Amino acid sequence: MKTEYRLFLGVAAFLFVTAVVYWFWSGAALPQYDWIGTTALTLSGLLCLMCGGYFWFVSRRIEPRPEDRLDGDIAEGAGEIGFFSPGSYWPFGIALAALIASLGLVFWMWWLIAVGIIATVVTASALLFEYYTGTRRTAEH
């Protein structure tokens, strides 16, 4: 996790410096300062700072992984990492439901917003419980 937090904090520092430079540069080149670009760069920096802070917080509580150590070997990272779905159509459904909710916000149709939010919750739940369907077998059967 040390690699990740260093990466995110480095990008956050770059974005904050870029926001300051952009602020002064836009003031010199334009008749007024550009608030939109400066705000976007600052919010992007804050998002990276949040992710980097989380990874830093987690890295202090776990043992160093092989990729975090200088003497780490590739073979140390071998083994099962986790379960990854071979393919699912539910992310497309989530995106479609979020699109419906977004269109409801754009055109300010409360019923379309409600339909989109409900559809988003249903499709996200379907993705979450995709592999929990069917009967569950126990050692007693």
Side-chain angles (χ1 to χ4, degrees):
M1 291 285 175
K2 290 184 180 182
T3 306
E4 289 87 353
Y5 91 76
R6 288 179 183 149
L7 178 73
F8 274 102
L9 293 182
V11 171
F14 170 77
L15 287 170
F16 289 138
V17 170
T18 305
V20 171
V21 170
Y22 183 81
W23 170 258
F24 286 114
W25 200 338
S26 69
L30 301 173
Q32 60 186 8
Y33 291 102
D34 182 24
W35 287 95
I36 304 300
T38 306
T39 303
L41 287 168
T42 303
L43 289 176
S44 298
L46 288 172
L47 182 63
C48 286
L49 185 68
M50 181 181 67
C51 293
Y54 171 75
F55 285 132
W56 173 75
F57 183 75
V58 170
S59 72
R60 292 182 13 201
R61 285 163 174 68
I62 63 172
E63 293 293 322
R65 300 175 304 168
E67 55 265 25
D68 293 333
R69 297 190 332 256
L70 293 176
D71 63 340
D73 193 12
I74 294 175
E76 292 179 63
E80 184 176 338
I81 297 174
F83 173 75
F84 300 97
S85 176
S88 175
Y89 293 108
W90 287 114
F92 178 74
I94 295 171
L96 193 63
L99 173 70
I100 291 170
S102 300
L103 285 175
L105 283 171
V106 167
F107 295 113
W108 200 243
M109 297 180 182
W110 63 269
W111 61 271
L112 196 58
I113 296 170
V115 167
I117 290 174
I118 291 169
T120 303
V121 169
V122 168
T123 54
S125 299
L127 176 68
L128 180 65
F129 295 113
E130 183 174 16
Y131 293 103
Y132 292 103
T133 59
T135 59
R136 184 177 173 101
R137 299 195 184 265
T138 60
E140 297 172 3
H141 290 109

